[in-house]
Amino acid sequence: MSTEHHVQGIPISRLAEEFGTPMYVYDADVLCGRYGGLREALHPSLEFFYSLKANPNISVYSVLRRAGARAEVSSLTELRTAQRAGAAAEDIIFLGPGKSREELEACVEDAVYAVVCESIQEMRELDEIAERLDRDVDVLLRVNPSFTVKGSGLTMGGKPRQFGIDEERLLSEAGLLKGFPRLRCIGVHVYMGTRILSSETIVRNTERILDLAERLSVAMDFPLKTVDVGGGLGVGYFQGEDEIDLVALADGLNPLIEGFLSRRPDTRMIMESGRYLAAPAGMYVVGVRYVKTSMGERFAVADGGTNHHMAAVGIGSFVKRNFPMRLLDADTGRGGPEEWNVTGPLCTPNDTLGKRVSLPPLRQGDLIGVERSGAYGPTASPVHFLSHGHPAEVLVLDGRPHLVRERDRVEDMLGRQFLAPGLERGGAREDHR
Ligand SMILES: *Cc1c(COP(=O)(O)O)cnc(C)c1O
């Protein structure tokens, strides 16, 4: 038996009434709590750069920035978001394997802390831009390490990848940096993967990254002013997944960092995090439009689905696993739980938010929440599929709800399309009957 779900004391039904469904609801207290948890547990010299990719909403980042998070961005819009939210240039790094000329120019002109270079051609392009603008640019080399460490959902090292420059290549071309007079290499960046739930894996990754950074700085002769050890801290979504153990992580990581800093006290130590900070702070709220049964199974057809929450569908995993879901209304007087398929409005069988989820008996108008959904939500989903557009996003801050992104309306979708000349209504073309 459960009562109606609240966010900072506000009933979800009130938010749904005010802002409509489908919507994402973010809790600023949870965002701050996640950041504070890392800040408190891990070495004070470690700086956390929020990966805007995980949730690029400007208010979401703004909450994290005020808590202390720096910014890791990967597109011009993400850069502008971070700047508009108040991030200082020295607290922004720009990475990504396919940066455009316009993006590189913005990095140079706005003097971000570092451009994380991912290929030798990119270094050449950046060097030319810097020369033209008559500036020097600080860069980190993103390294594709020769090693790999097991335990991550998506491994990035030890394999052919479009990310970074191979460790071997860098070690064999020790004079590489001399070819780029406008680039000042200030350190190394390595990102080993995402969704890591084992603290031991992160500790071992970090150990090897620190060692690699020192070896490279000696071999290539650059000052190791910065090491970005990546991150990829995960959150548990599915049954049987444990949360990352912050105490164990601190026990393993802090002495490593302490040891490194005792040799190199002036090194800036960076950890990146997106999912860990944002995921638990968000809930995807959908309204049940219709309930029906088909061949003995129950279906609740909701007003949003895969189009806003691709991750919940579990594309890429062999067995569909359900995100934590719940009925947000009170379930008094409904009877015991049943198995429900919660689907969305799209015309594809893949549009299934939850398969055979145990939920109280559902009815039209119910609100259902998909929890842990604050990261890789709408911006990582096919929001344009069936032209439904972006959902509303609401942030609850200091006990008050604020609309932080409007839902797309028909004109937002259609207004960017054009009828080609000759196709106007009433045009010359006859319809043949
Ligand atoms: C995606 C990405 C991140 C963020 O990953 P999370 O698992 O969400 O923390 C950090 N760094 C790089 C290089 C990335 O590509």
Side-chain angles (χ1 to χ4, degrees):
M1 191 95 105
S2 72
T3 53
E4 178 169 8
H5 187 78
H6 291 67
V7 178
Q8 292 187 23
I10 306 167
I12 285 279
S13 58
R14 215 191 94 201
L15 297 177
E17 230 163 74
E18 189 171 345
F19 303 105
T21 57
M23 70 173 163
Y24 272 84
V25 179
Y26 308 121
D27 185 336
D29 286 353
V30 178
L31 285 170
C32 292
R34 295 299 280 186
Y35 180 83
L38 282 186
R39 180 66 292 157
E40 217 154 276
L42 301 185
H43 195 285
S45 293
L46 193 57
E47 294 178 52
F48 302 104
F49 279 58
Y50 174 62
S51 306
L52 270 81
K53 175 180 77 184
N55 186 328
N57 185 281
I58 188 165
S59 286
V60 167
Y61 173 58
S62 204
V63 168
L64 287 167
R65 189 198 65 75
R66 287 201 302 179
R70 303 13 178 155
E72 178 255 289
V73 300
S74 298
S75 71
L76 189 58
T77 304
E78 285 188 4
L79 172 62
R80 298 300 180 227
T81 306
Q83 290 171 324
R84 218 173 273 186
E90 68 262 25
D91 291 333
I92 301 175
I93 59 173
F94 198 121
L95 64 78
K99 302 175 199 78
S100 69
R101 182 164 277 270
E102 190 187 14
E103 288 167 338
L104 292 172
E105 279 169 2
C107 290
V108 177
E109 277 168 354
D110 295 354
V112 301
Y113 179 67
V115 178
V116 182
C117 286
E118 308 226 14
S119 71
I120 291 172
Q121 277 190 346
E122 182 196 331
M123 291 168 73
R124 185 158 305 125
E125 188 129 335
L126 184 60
D127 189 59
E128 282 166 17
I129 290 169
E131 172 62 27
R132 195 155 32 77
L133 298 174
D134 196 21
R135 307 262 187 97
D136 292 335
V137 196
D138 288 341
V139 303
L140 297 175
L141 295 177
R142 179 166 182 178
V143 184
N144 179 28
S146 307
F147 58 85
T148 185
V149 176
K150 281 204 174 71
S152 136
L154 197 69
T155 43
M156 296 281 194
K159 283 189 202 177
R161 283 290 186 211
Q162 72 268 48
F163 307 108
I165 306 168
D166 288 355
E167 172 184 343
E168 273 178 35
R169 171 102 194 248
L170 291 171
L171 287 171
S172 69
E173 289 187 47
L176 180 72
L177 294 167
K178 293 197 183 70
F180 307 111
R182 287 297 194 168
L183 307 189
R184 278 187 309 230
C185 180
I186 58 167
V188 167
H189 169 284
V190 182
Y191 179 71
M192 297 297 296
T194 185
R195 296 229 327 103
I196 306 173
L197 290 170
S198 145
S199 57
E200 201 190 316
T201 304
I202 292 164
V203 173
R204 272 187 297 141
N205 281 347
T206 307
E207 191 168 22
R208 302 188 73 163
I209 292 165
L210 294 177
D211 171 65
L212 170 63
E214 289 196 289
R215 281 189 289 119
L216 275 175
S217 93
V218 172
M220 299 180 71
D221 191 26
F222 60 81
L224 202 51
K225 282 170 67 179
T226 304
V227 183
D228 183 334
V229 298
L233 310 192
V235 302
Y237 291 113
F238 308 118
Q239 244 171 15
E241 279 189 333
D242 288 328
E243 292 306 311
I244 201 152
D245 182 344
L246 272 195
V247 174
L249 181 62
D251 284 351
L253 206 57
N254 293 354
L256 271 183
I257 293 172
E258 190 60 39
F260 187 85
L261 287 174
S262 69
R263 295 192 301 280
R264 302 171 170 275
D266 297 326
T267 309
R268 193 171 185 189
M269 308 291 286
I270 294 176
M271 179 180 265
E272 299 165 357
S273 177
R275 188 189 310 275
Y276 182 87
L277 294 174
M283 181 186 277
Y284 181 45
V285 179
V286 294
V288 175
R289 284 230 172 99
Y290 307 106
V291 295
K292 63 204 257 188
T293 55
S294 170
M295 299 193 174
E297 291 202 28
R298 295 182 192 84
F299 287 81
V301 183
D303 52 15
T306 323
N307 49 322
H308 300 153
H309 202 331
M310 183 81 158
V313 182
I315 299 281
S317 43
F318 181 63
V319 186
K320 157 123 180 77
R321 298 186 292 177
N322 294 315
F323 265 53
M325 292 175 79
R326 52 147 85 197
L327 173 68
L328 300 173
D329 309 274
D331 67 357
T332 31
R334 291 200 188 216
E338 304 168 334
E339 266 187 5
W340 282 89
N341 297 296
V342 181
T343 66
L346 305 183
C347 304
T348 156
N350 288 335
D351 190 17
T352 300
L353 282 173
K355 204 171 175 65
R356 300 198 184 125
V357 195
S358 173
L359 288 167
L362 296 178
R363 37 193 197 226
Q364 211 169 25
D366 279 342
L367 295 171
I368 294 178
V370 185
E371 300 181 286
R372 321 218 97 194
S373 297
Y376 303 105
T379 60
S381 303
V383 293
H384 287 130
F385 201 28
L386 274 82
S387 300
H388 288 297
H390 206 285
E393 293 179 278
V394 173
L395 174 75
V396 182
L397 178 67
D398 302 327
R400 296 178 53 180
H402 304 277
L403 184 66
V404 293
R405 199 207 197 276
E406 274 181 309
R407 73 178 65 257
D408 284 343
R409 289 152 304 188
V410 171
E411 266 321 297
D412 297 316
M413 308 294 290
L414 213 39
R416 305 183 72 80
Q417 299 179 36
F418 307 100
L419 265 176
L423 295 177
E424 295 91 350
R425 265 212 289 191
R429 220 182 137 125
E430 289 297 313
D431 89 1
H432 304 278
R433 247 177 271 230

